[in-house]
Amino acid sequence: MLLLSLASAASAQETCGLTQWTPFAGHALPLDDALVEPTLGIENPYPIWNSRDLFQPTFVAAPPDGTNRLFALERRGLIISFPNRADVLSEETRILLDLESETRTGFSEEGMLGLAMHPDFANNGYLYVHFTPEHAVCSQYPRCAQIRRYTIDPEDPDAVLPGSAYVVLEIERPGTIEHHNGGMLAFGPDGYLYASVGDQDAIDEVQDTTSLRGKLLRIDVDSGSEFSPGIPPDNPFGNPVFHYGLRNPWRFSFDRDTGDLWIGDVGSHRREEVNFVPAGTPGGLDFGWPHCEGTLGLTSTGCTPNQHAPDLEYETGSLGLAVIGGYVYRGPNPALQGLYIFGDANGSIFTWDTVTRDPQTGLGVIETAITNTFDGLGSLAEDEAGEVLTWPYSFPAIYRFTASLDGGGDGFPRTLSATGLFSDVVTLTPAPGLIEYDVASRFWSDGSSKRRWMALPRGQKIQVVDARDWRYPVGTAFVKHFEVGEALGLTRRVETRVMLHQETGWLGLTYRWNEEGTDANLLTTQLEEELVLGSGVSQTWRHPSPSDCLDCHTEQAGHVLGLQVEQLNADFAYPATTDNQLHAWNCLNLFDTDLGDPAAFDAFHDVADATVSTHRRAREYFAVNCASCHQPGASEATLDLRLSTALGDMNVIDVPPVRGDLGAPDPRLVAPGDTDNSVLFRRLWSAEASLRMPRGSLLPDWGALSVLATWIETDLFDAQAEAPRLDSDLDGVLDPVDNCPVFANPDQADADQDGTGDPCDPDQMPELRILAGLPPTAAPGATTDFWAVVFNDGVLATADVQARFYLSEDTTLDPSDRSVAACFTSPIDGGGAAGCAVPVAGVPADLPAMPGNYYWLACADGLDVVAEPDESDNCESSPVSVPEPTGALPIAALGLIVAAARRRRAATRRDRPAPSRAGARSVS
């Protein structure tokens, strides 16, 4: 049999460093409570630029290209571009698009109304506007609204290409109707463009699904022709209409984390409403208008069970005049995480925690956060980092939301000893089950020494999406302890920080040690103190607030810094033996899949390790200390300091600074051969907190500065030629002439002579295809076996390839699918094949209690360790029947099944029971 010829790759190491480990019993940190009450405030994020230079902005959007810009849409027909920085100046604003001569603004609800950028905007430069043009501009109707596409000029990112206008859709505005235009645009998680259209007082057409009025439209902008948009195949009515029964959906949004849809629909003198639609809900929802306004019936038909009931509702006139839909906050402030923030045209701002509901009505409980602060609210928006912005309509100035860091958090242990993370804080003995670890390349923290632990909830595993995307179950806590040097070789305990994965996201906690070193107390605000170290020596230390923690622990960096394959791929002295940390964790089955041999992965190095090149150490230092913010999508995205980025793409080499020159005579971010003119180096050197890098530190890292100085003056500069020397992959071929600058290719191999070196050429890449043996059933808690043969249809050989086996509700691999088993093949030459097998694998015991049809998925290259041009054919699927659990199933397994069902219900939010109000986020 074929199965008998398959060999499973084994790890090169046999000794496991954590054989005595016992699962963690649990901590006392709450998972459903906020450390601080989300008391909203507002601040001007642009104190230098007077954003009142804007004229009646209707919307603001962030282009998804990592440039950290904002595009402000003005009602009169302009789009203004400006950098999203605190020190932005008026002269940095640019007119991106001018349609003032074409835009009709005769009535208050006319003008430029909506703006969205294509998901692939960074490559295609497509942006879309929704506006009401002058009648003579309309092509198909006497009066119209248009959705147009424009293309950014590749030579000027703050301008559109002349002549690039393309009409995606023209919408008739009959008679003399001027208002209820809707006008919002946004791309959904499915990649389609969604557009809102109000009823335009044509009430009799709102329930007519052949009309576009009173609808939420869904368009495939990557197909179709001008004036005739592409229709997604699952649109329910064979036209752009996706949902109907809306009056004037002025603003809607998609939760950037979950994909859920939120629609604010303006009422008619009686009810204002917000509708929540879970991600993945099929089209065809009827929101009730004109028969139903909110929960109030208006006609003989009234509100029916077939209509989609609102989740939030208030009486028009009691709290406001017209609802303005908002956003679920996913920015860096932990006090606001998971809050739905929305507003009203009267200037009020409201929030809902998305959990608390009135037990009588089932409607969400609205908190009035800010009352009538503005003289008329314009709208709300998100920047690239997830900060929610707002502005008044009549005297525009852009604001962002803040939250008070005082009060709240009554459920949090106030001392470190009360957290349950340490069995003895005096001796710093961790509780049983905490796993101590270290990182290969240290993050600079003002010369402190650190120890680190992970507390993984009992019975839970780390989900490995790919080699560098690890996700941790709710309840996971990462602990980092800081000490600074004292006289006579002693150390002083300063603080212990905890990164906690709550139900609403990640939260950073800081416990400040007392002078005696016997315990540490919880802080809720930033604190600076002078640490007396002895012999007349002192040091200023900054304790971070919860929001300070998330400044660095960004979503783009995976929230947990240091927990990446390159940092853990190093030896650690465990009590029993020394072992590679990746191997030790893999031995304990802490991952939901086998990671295989650590030698297959890259590894970081200490900045002082002289056996490693200065170039490599410098790049790793930036990757560890700076890239959490300086990378695409993060708060400081103009620079990309990740290790994988080629030197020329970092946007630092010989690039003039935009945020001050720090006194450099001829400033560049990095000036090859010249540290004095390198502003990035000056920031690392500076002792001024507002100028320093890394963020949060107060002292220069002298050891790293020595390495970086050598890198700038020697590695990046050819003194003999008096010219920069940029060689990203250190293969001896300079980037400007290297046919593959991100992978070492010293002989410049180019098999097909297309100008792209083989290691970078999709035509030469491995191309994986899998054939697998998958069982026909999956009884909860049972064992089964798997085998797979992986074919390489490409040219270049692979290293070991991983085959992973999943249980899925469909034939597509999603991050939520259950990984059941994995094995590794041997390396596969181009045109070759190799196999592996898992003789015994356990089916999860917590499958749904009801029988159902599922799929086994077998996927090659599950960890993305093989680069190939087409990843779409890496999986094979096979239907599997999950039988009804029997009475023989262990009680513990039944408990897991019930818990899993509860988790699925909680994910839909509508099925959650009415919670108690013990805290801002507490649920019963």
Side-chain angles (χ1 to χ4, degrees):
M1 291 179 62
L2 176 64
L3 182 59
L4 296 179
S5 67
L6 301 177
S8 177
S11 172
Q13 281 178 277
E14 296 181 359
T15 303
C16 189
L18 284 168
T19 53
Q20 305 302 315
W21 179 76
T22 57
F24 178 52
H27 51 66
L29 299 167
L31 305 180
D32 57 358
D33 192 11
L35 177 60
V36 292
E37 292 289 349
T39 304
L40 256 63
I42 56 171
E43 66 179 7
N44 182 356
Y46 315 110
I48 301 176
W49 170 49
N50 181 4
S51 53
R52 288 184 174 83
D53 293 342
L54 295 174
F55 178 76
Q56 291 186 336
T58 52
F59 194 61
V60 173
D65 59 358
T67 59
N68 198 31
R69 293 178 293 165
L70 289 175
F71 295 163
L73 193 70
E74 290 195 353
R75 177 174 170 257
R76 57 180 169 168
L78 301 182
I79 300 178
I80 309 296
S81 171
F82 60 94
N84 185 17
R85 303 192 323 266
D87 57 355
V88 62
L89 304 175
S90 295
E91 51 265 33
E92 294 183 87
T93 62
R94 294 278 304 279
I95 295 179
L96 180 78
L97 177 64
D98 185 350
L99 296 181
E100 189 168 4
S101 63
E102 299 183 48
T103 303
R104 178 177 175 83
T105 59
F107 187 76
S108 63
E109 292 187 28
E110 293 181 314
M112 291 279 271
L113 304 176
L115 170 66
M117 272 65 69
H118 193 282
D120 196 29
F121 174 84
N123 294 312
N124 61 31
Y126 290 162
L127 60 82
Y128 299 81
V129 295
H130 192 169
F131 77 116
T132 56
E134 291 287 356
H135 303 333
V137 176
C138 296
S139 299
Q140 297 180 314
Y141 306 104
R143 300 163 53 84
C144 71
Q146 283 188 356
I147 299 174
R148 285 189 191 176
R149 185 190 75 199
Y150 288 87
T151 305
I152 293 293
D153 188 338
E155 302 299 323
D156 185 354
D158 291 317
V160 299
L161 279 173
S164 65
Y166 173 96
V167 180
V168 176
L169 179 65
E170 188 168 273
I171 304 164
E172 183 182 12
R173 298 170 64 215
T176 59
I177 296 170
E178 310 283 2
H179 56 286
H180 297 182
N181 292 300
M184 178 69 180
L185 294 177
F187 278 90
D190 52 14
Y192 294 127
L193 179 65
Y194 289 71
S196 64
V197 180
D199 66 6
Q200 300 174 347
D201 278 347
I203 295 178
D204 56 336
E205 296 187 30
V206 174
Q207 292 288 318
D208 179 359
T209 56
T210 65
S211 166
L212 301 186
R213 298 183 188 87
K215 309 298 193 301
L216 186 68
L217 311 181
R218 182 171 178 253
I219 299 168
D220 181 0
V221 296
D222 296 323
S223 66
S225 58
E226 193 167 20
F227 293 100
S228 180
I231 308 301
D234 56 344
N235 272 21
F237 309 110
N239 59 17
V241 174
F242 195 62
H243 298 312
Y244 64 104
L246 295 161
R247 183 175 181 269
N248 191 22
W250 165 237
R251 291 293 177 236
F252 64 85
S253 68
F254 291 95
D255 185 332
R256 62 166 57 190
D257 273 14
T258 66
D260 298 333
L261 171 64
W262 298 79
I263 306 173
D265 195 16
V266 179
S268 175
H269 311 301
R270 295 174 179 84
R271 297 284 192 277
E272 306 300 318
E273 66 179 278
V274 175
N275 294 277
F276 163 75
V277 182
T281 300
L285 294 182
D286 175 11
F287 292 97
W289 181 257
H291 302 298
C292 192
E293 184 176 16
T295 59
L296 180 67
L298 300 180
T299 67
S300 58
T301 302
C303 303
T304 70
N306 295 327
Q307 294 166 348
H308 185 92
D311 290 78
L312 299 173
E313 177 187 80
Y314 59 91
E315 291 187 11
T316 307
S318 61
L319 293 180
L321 302 174
V323 69
I324 298 176
Y327 295 83
V328 176
Y329 184 89
R330 300 298 183 189
N333 192 330
L336 301 178
Q337 282 298 321
L339 279 183
Y340 178 64
I341 305 174
F342 65 110
D344 189 275
N346 73 351
S348 296
I349 298 292
F350 310 121
T351 65
W352 181 40
D353 64 8
T354 73
V355 173
T356 307
R357 293 180 181 270
D358 185 313
Q360 302 301 319
T361 66
L363 291 168
V365 175
I366 297 173
E367 301 284 350
T368 302
I370 302 174
T371 305
N372 299 326
T373 298
F374 304 125
D375 182 16
L377 189 68
S379 189
L380 293 97
E382 268 186 324
D383 72 6
E384 202 165 4
E387 292 285 9
V388 177
L389 308 174
T390 191
W391 56 91
Y393 184 65
S394 55
F395 53 98
I398 298 174
Y399 297 91
R400 69 181 171 206
F401 292 103
T402 63
S404 169
L405 295 179
D406 296 320
D410 294 338
F412 283 86
R414 295 293 155 173
T415 61
L416 184 62
S417 59
T419 62
L421 294 168
F422 292 90
S423 56
D424 188 336
V425 295
V426 176
T427 60
L428 211 64
T429 303
L434 261 69
I435 299 175
E436 187 167 7
Y437 66 96
D438 203 356
V439 295
S441 180
R442 59 188 170 87
F443 183 92
W444 174 249
S445 300
D446 288 348
S448 61
S449 60
K450 303 173 218 176
R451 294 180 66 185
R452 302 168 176 86
W453 297 268
M454 177 181 69
L456 192 68
R458 180 184 291 271
Q460 299 293 306
K461 294 188 177 185
I462 301 169
Q463 181 188 6
V464 181
V465 178
D466 59 45
R468 290 165 185 83
D469 183 2
W470 298 357
R471 301 179 185 180
Y472 307 93
V474 170
T476 304
F478 291 92
V479 184
K480 185 158 59 173
H481 175 74
F482 296 77
E483 298 187 1
V484 296
E486 286 188 336
L488 304 178
L490 301 176
T491 57
R492 172 173 173 175
R493 295 176 177 179
V494 181
E495 67 183 24
T496 301
R497 301 178 190 172
V498 180
M499 282 297 296
L500 176 66
H501 192 188
Q502 294 187 293
E503 293 175 353
T504 54
W506 288 91
L507 173 65
L509 305 170
T510 299
Y511 285 89
R512 175 195 177 202
W513 281 87
N514 57 31
E515 292 187 7
E516 296 77 21
T518 57
D519 209 342
N521 299 304
L522 179 64
L523 297 177
T524 58
T525 59
Q526 185 187 102
L527 174 67
E528 282 192 10
E529 68 171 322
E530 197 70 15
L531 302 175
V532 179
L533 304 181
S535 301
V537 178
S538 64
Q539 176 180 338
T540 303
W541 184 270
R542 175 177 291 174
H543 300 277
S545 69
S547 60
D548 290 337
C549 293
L550 294 189
D551 281 346
C552 290
H553 291 263
T554 62
E555 177 183 358
Q556 291 74 20
H559 295 295
V560 185
L561 306 183
L563 265 295
Q564 57 193 98
V565 65
E566 299 92 343
Q567 287 280 46
L568 289 182
N569 198 3
D571 285 349
F572 187 85
Y574 296 103
T577 185
T578 296
D579 190 8
N580 179 283
Q581 294 178 109
L582 288 178
H583 177 258
W585 290 25
N586 207 33
C587 281
L588 292 180
N589 292 318
L590 298 186
F591 304 107
D592 69 348
T593 189
D594 182 7
L595 288 189
D597 190 347
F601 300 108
D602 199 1
F604 280 168
H605 310 83
D606 188 272
V607 73
D609 186 352
T611 65
V612 182
S613 71
T614 53
H615 176 87
R616 174 76 184 199
R617 284 183 283 161
R619 292 299 310 273
E620 289 181 2
Y621 188 85
F622 287 133
V624 171
N625 287 270
C626 311
S628 61
C629 293
H630 293 287
Q631 64 172 283
S635 58
E636 302 290 344
T638 53
L639 316 183
D640 187 353
L641 300 184
R642 295 173 298 172
L643 181 63
S644 59
T645 304
L647 285 168
D649 295 331
M650 293 168 64
N651 200 31
V652 296
I653 307 297
D654 217 22
V655 174
V658 295
R659 303 189 65 179
D661 58 20
L662 276 68
D666 184 19
R668 298 290 186 270
L669 289 175
V670 172
D674 187 355
T675 53
D676 190 46
N677 279 312
S678 297
V679 172
L680 190 56
F681 186 82
R682 283 174 169 256
R683 289 194 182 278
L684 290 159
W685 184 288
S686 174
E688 186 173 337
S690 61
L691 302 177
R692 271 202 53 69
M693 286 178 57
R695 181 180 294 176
S697 63
L698 300 176
L699 299 175
D701 184 351
W702 299 114
L705 282 168
S706 176
V707 172
L708 296 173
T710 302
W711 178 66
I712 292 172
E713 294 175 351
T714 304
D715 291 57
L716 297 184
F717 191 73
D718 187 333
Q720 185 174 358
E722 295 186 349
R725 178 172 52 207
L726 306 183
D727 184 6
S728 297
D729 53 14
L730 299 179
D731 62 359
V733 183
L734 300 184
D735 286 0
V737 294
D738 194 336
N739 63 15
C740 182
V742 292
F743 293 106
N745 186 27
D747 58 1
Q748 296 294 281
D750 182 9
D752 55 7
Q753 299 298 306
D754 64 352
T756 302
D758 289 352
C760 293
D761 192 344
D763 296 334
Q764 302 298 312
M765 291 293 150
E767 183 62 48
L768 302 183
R769 179 168 48 88
I770 193 168
L771 172 67
L774 300 171
T777 61
T783 58
T784 186
D785 58 7
F786 302 93
W787 61 263
V789 178
V790 180
F791 299 86
N792 179 8
D793 297 331
V795 177
L796 293 178
T798 73
D800 296 353
V801 174
Q802 188 187 52
R804 300 173 76 181
F805 304 92
Y806 302 85
L807 270 174
S808 175
E809 294 184 359
D810 53 35
T811 59
T812 303
L813 178 61
D814 303 305
S816 60
D817 288 339
R818 305 291 297 274
S819 177
V820 176
C823 61
F824 285 86
T825 74
S826 58
I828 310 175
D829 291 332
C836 65
V838 183
V840 179
V843 177
D846 58 341
L847 292 181
M850 295 299 293
N853 292 319
Y854 288 78
Y855 294 85
W856 284 118
L857 298 182
C859 297
D861 186 24
L863 293 181
D864 278 338
V865 295
V866 178
E868 53 180 315
D870 183 8
E871 299 279 356
S872 64
D873 60 353
N874 284 19
C875 295
E876 178 185 37
S877 64
S878 176
V880 56
S881 176
V882 179
E884 180 93 40
T886 67
L889 195 64
I891 294 176
L894 287 174
L896 289 173
I897 291 171
V898 173
R902 287 175 177 165
R903 288 195 296 272
R904 286 192 301 277
R905 287 197 298 271
T908 66
R909 303 188 188 188
R910 281 188 177 278
D911 296 330
R912 289 176 176 169
S916 66
R917 189 63 173 161
R921 306 284 174 87
S922 61
V923 293
S924 58

